[in-house]
Amino acid sequence: MKKLLLFTALVIFSLNAKAQDIEDKIKGGGFYVGANIGMPISAAADVASFNFGFDVAYLFEVIDNLEVGPLLGFTHFIGDGEYYAYSSSNVEFRRDYKDASFLPIAASARYYFADHRFFGGIDLGVAVNVSGDAKTGFYARPKFGFDLGVVALIASFQNISGGVDYGDTYYGGTYVSSSGFNSFNFGVEFGF
């Protein structure tokens, strides 16, 4: 309950932030720490049921309203577990979808609109697989946000190419998905 009250107080405090305060924060550069949750889509929805992640970025203004900088994160897809199916010849096979974790290492950019309240951005880089049967791949995350001062609300689409290799008991031991991990994410970000 205390955490809910603290979060509510932060949001109310942030709503009172003036556009000038936000603009000063942008011009000075700074650290951003964010957390997000997401729903896997496309082929990722076949092997994972939920996604969550964290990231840290240092962004600095290069021209009016445009910030760029490095980003380091962690994203985790929770696997669906065991999946049983039957072939046309009634042979049972089993696939075990395990969790997959990645460390995104990326360049981040964002552009502010409308008195520095709304922004659009993108993170581009590589997502290094650190657990599970997934492969390291290209990382892209376009995002849109609403800056409330100290806190920003963010919606994003996350794409990690590279695919997965899951073992099964029927198709020669390996089931391969080439489309990687995709998810729609919603989160919060704190700027310092």
Side-chain angles (χ1 to χ4, degrees), residues 63 99 151 177:
I63 60 172
D99 292 2
V151 177
S177 167

Side-chain angles (χ1 to χ4, degrees), residues 2-156:
K2 289 180 184 178
K3 290 180 182 179
L4 179 62
L5 288 173
L6 177 63
F7 181 73
T8 304
L10 274 174
V11 170
I12 291 170
F13 173 74
S14 295
L15 287 173
N16 292 329
K18 294 182 259 174
Q20 184 63 40
D21 294 339
I22 296 170
E23 190 173 337
D24 290 342
K25 178 182 81 170
I26 294 167
K27 289 195 182 296
F31 283 98
Y32 295 89
V33 178
N36 61 72
I37 58 173
M39 294 305 300
I41 59 170
S42 188
D46 295 338
V47 298
S49 57
F50 189 71
N51 169 246
F52 65 90
F54 310 95
D55 50 55
V56 176
Y58 181 78
L59 302 178
F60 53 93
E61 189 174 55
V62 291
I63 60 172
D64 284 346
N65 301 331
L66 178 65
E67 289 184 324
V68 297
L71 176 133
L72 178 64
F74 174 81
T75 189
H76 185 82
F77 287 82
I78 298 174
D80 278 343
E82 291 188 334
Y83 170 74
Y84 292 91
Y86 294 90
S87 70
S88 60
S89 59
N90 289 329
V91 175
E92 179 183 294
F93 64 94
R94 177 182 64 85
R95 294 182 180 144
D96 185 15
Y97 298 133
K98 296 181 176 73
D99 292 2
S101 298
F102 299 91
L103 288 177
I105 303 168
S108 184
R110 66 174 59 170
Y111 186 83
Y112 286 86
F113 305 96
D115 294 330
H116 300 284
R117 290 289 185 180
F118 293 97
F119 63 87
I122 190 162
D123 304 333
L124 295 173
V126 64
V128 179
N129 176 258
V130 293
S131 74
D133 296 324
K135 299 176 184 176
T136 295
F138 177 74
Y139 175 77
R141 185 176 165 216
K143 54 187 168 185
F144 297 95
F146 182 67
D147 198 331
L148 301 170
V150 176
V151 177
L153 305 176
I154 296 177
S156 64

Side-chain angles (χ1 to χ4, degrees), residues 43 46-47 93 95 97 164-168 171-177:
D46 295 338
V47 298
F93 64 94
R95 294 182 180 144
Y97 298 133
V164 293
D165 290 336
Y166 287 109
D168 67 36
Y171 289 116
T174 302
Y175 165 71
V176 178
S177 167

